[in-house]
Every structure is written in C-alpha cells, then in structure tokens.
C-alpha cells in the first residue's frame, strides 16, 4: 500500500507517530522553501513545523482525499499565519487592485498576482508556462493600471502589500471553485467548455485567482524536493517528541489487525 499525504492527514489528526514522521520526512523540505521565500530568516523550518504539528490543526481537518498539491497550498497558508508581516507603508486594498486589473485576462491577472506573492518574472514564467519577458511586459502594464487607480504609487507597491492582499483574498465566496478544477487545468485534463466556465467565474473572483496561483506555487514548491534522510529527520523527530526509530513492521501489523 502506498502511504499518501491523505493517509498522513488522517494519522496526524489521530496523533499517530507515522503521520508526524511522514510530515517531517516529506514536507520539512517544502517548509524550508516556504520559510526561505517568505523571509522568515530568524525562524527556520523547525519553528514552522512546531507551529503546524498539532492534531487539531485545520491543515489536517479535511476528511476528503486531498491531492498533495492541495495539502501543500494549505501548508503554505498555515505557515504564513505564523510569519509576521509588517504593515505596508503605502497600503492598497484588494478592491483597488481588482478595479485596476479589471481589463487584464485571467492569465495576465495571475502574472500580476504572483508578483504580490514575491515571485520574479523568471519563476512566475515557469509556473505559468510563459516566457519571463512576457510576464515582465504584463507586469509593466499592470503597474500602469494600478498607478492610475491609486493616489500614491511606487514600483514595489504590489509586492509590499502582498501579504495583506493575500489575507484579504483568502476567504472563499459562494460559487468559488474547488482546487480540483484548477488542478484539472494544470494537468491538462479540462475540456474547452470546462475552461470557459472556470474563466467566467475566476476572471472576476480574486479568491479564485489567489487560490489558482497558490496551487501553481505548490507545484513549484514540490518540484525537485528530496525527502529527508532518517539522520536529517532526527532533530525534527526530537522537536516533536517522537520516538527515534520506526516501529517494526510486525508491530504495525499487530496494531492494525
Ligand atoms: Zn471564486
């Protein structure tokens, strides 16, 4: 049987060591990337791990089988809650951003929004399967649009407000789409009609644009990730007060029979 992130969520919810071990080995490398990207240099992945490794964490609450990318997008949200974001010097509301970017297409909005998540043209281009120069050109246009919508503007305005905008966009509304619909697009499983339907809602819904971007970010976070070796995992097991060695196979068999 293959142990997946779904089984891990179930085991973490039940506070079983197997779940926490899998979380450490598979996802501490992802946590490390998240923490590094969002600038929490003072706190390493250990602090991120400790902040989320509770059986009652909303991260493990879903009873539906969730693909790994959905789990990682949620992991990012949970970790960010623990990383303080300084208030932007020049605040800009989601409403102003939505009004400014109204003329942009869905993919152009994504290219602009990924800037608020701290991704440069190169990384965003890889996520959107688009040339970095195209991303840069879209961003230049988006910047002009935003400039026209705000009294005080500077080139870094969107990036500086990224965390606050992300928080504002986080709660879903009625009719918002499930992660699966976005993953169908990412994986090329969607039909033309499905894509049209998605575009109609998402084009004007900043929760869904943010959600879509967070799933693309999850794909990128998982790329090239190597699980920790037992030796590398050891300090993290210790931080979680887990017994050092894995239970023998017969014990697991005994426990489940
Ligand atoms: Zn929506």
């Amino acid at each position: 049987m293959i142990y997946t992130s779904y089984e891990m969520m179930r085991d973490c919810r039940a506070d079983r060591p197997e779940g926490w071990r899998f979380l450490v080995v598979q996802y501490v490398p992802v946590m490390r990337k998240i923490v590094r990207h969002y600038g929490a240099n003072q706190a390493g992945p250990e602090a991120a791990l400790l902040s989320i490794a509770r059986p009652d964490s909303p991260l493990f609450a879903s009873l539906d089988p969730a693909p790994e990318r959905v789990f990682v997008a949620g992991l990012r949200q949970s970790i960010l809650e623990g990383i303080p974001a300084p208030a932007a010097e020049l605040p800009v509301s989601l409403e102003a951003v939505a009004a400014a970017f109204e003329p942009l297409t869905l993919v152009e909005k994504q290219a602009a929004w990924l800037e608020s998540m701290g991704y440069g043209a190169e990384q965003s281009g890889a996520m959107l399967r688009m040339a970095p120069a195209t991303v840069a050109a879209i961003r230049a246009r988006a910047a002009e649009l935003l400039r026209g919508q705000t009294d005080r503007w500077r080139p870094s305005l969107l990036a500086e407000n990224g965390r606050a905008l992300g928080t504002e966009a986080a709660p879903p509304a009625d009719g918002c789409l499930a992660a699966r619909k976005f993953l169908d697009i990412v994986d090329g499983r969607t039909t033309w009609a499905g894509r049209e339907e998605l575009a109609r809602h998402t084009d004007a819904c900043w929760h869904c644009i943010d959600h879509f971007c967070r799933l693309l970010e999850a794909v990128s976070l998982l790329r090239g990730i190597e699980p920790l070796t037992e030796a590398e995992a050891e300090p993290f097991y210790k931080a979680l007060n887990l017994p050092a060695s894995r239970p023998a196979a017969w014990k697991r068999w005994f426990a489940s029979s």
Side-chain angles (χ1 to χ4, degrees):
M1 190 193 89
I2 299 167
Y3 189 88
T4 65
S5 59
Y6 174 59
E7 275 91 35
M8 177 198 73
M9 287 164 71
R10 181 200 61 200
D11 284 344
C12 289
R13 196 159 60 230
D15 204 11
R16 291 193 196 105
E18 305 90 291
W20 301 124
R21 277 210 189 78
F22 191 84
L23 179 73
V24 165
V25 170
Q26 295 295 324
Y27 297 112
V28 161
V30 179
M31 292 179 208
R32 196 171 272 151
K33 269 177 133 175
I34 295 171
V35 164
R36 204 182 295 142
H37 179 73
Y38 289 98
N41 295 324
Q42 65 280 41
E46 191 177 305
L49 175 70
L50 289 173
S51 73
I52 56 136
R54 291 172 282 106
D56 62 347
S57 164
L59 196 53
F60 310 118
S62 172
L63 300 176
D64 300 323
E68 182 178 43
R69 289 168 288 182
V70 175
F71 172 74
V72 167
L75 178 67
R76 178 257 196 202
Q77 292 296 74
S78 293
I79 291 177
L80 250 60
E81 279 171 27
I83 300 177
E89 222 175 289
L90 301 180
V92 64
S93 68
L94 184 60
E95 200 187 348
V97 171
F101 293 170
E102 218 260 334
L104 301 179
T105 65
L106 174 57
V107 72
E108 288 171 339
K109 285 174 182 146
Q110 287 179 282
W113 189 252
L114 284 168
E115 185 178 354
S116 83
M117 290 166 66
Y119 291 102
E122 192 83 32
Q123 278 171 302
S124 306
M127 291 184 204
L128 294 165
R129 293 176 201 157
M130 187 186 266
T134 312
V135 175
I138 293 166
R139 286 182 178 178
R141 183 168 168 231
E144 279 312 308
L145 290 168
L146 188 58
R147 189 178 197 158
Q149 195 68 228
T150 47
D151 306 332
R152 295 163 74 206
W153 181 87
R154 62 185 178 205
S156 54
L157 188 67
L158 197 58
E160 283 169 43
N161 279 276
R163 288 287 303 279
L165 289 169
T167 305
E168 238 189 295
D174 283 347
C176 276
L177 302 167
R180 177 71 70 184
K181 299 252 179 191
F182 298 115
L183 293 178
D184 280 348
I185 288 206
V186 173
D187 297 334
R189 274 193 309 252
T190 195
T191 58
W192 185 84
R195 189 179 270 266
E196 281 295 293
E197 183 205 342
L198 176 135
R200 222 173 299 124
H201 170 84
T202 306
D203 199 39
C205 176
W206 283 89
H207 166 76
C208 285
I209 294 165
D210 178 57
H211 190 185
F212 201 170
C213 287
R214 285 188 286 109
L215 289 166
L216 295 176
E217 178 186 39
V219 173
S220 154
L221 286 169
L222 285 164
R223 192 167 294 137
I225 280 289
E226 294 280 347
L228 296 186
T229 62
E230 281 299 296
E232 288 166 336
E234 203 54 53
F236 296 99
Y237 293 160
K238 209 170 273 176
L240 294 180
N241 289 319
L242 291 172
S245 60
R246 286 161 186 279
W250 68 268
K251 264 194 197 160
R252 272 187 275 144
W253 174 81
F254 187 75
S256 63
S257 64

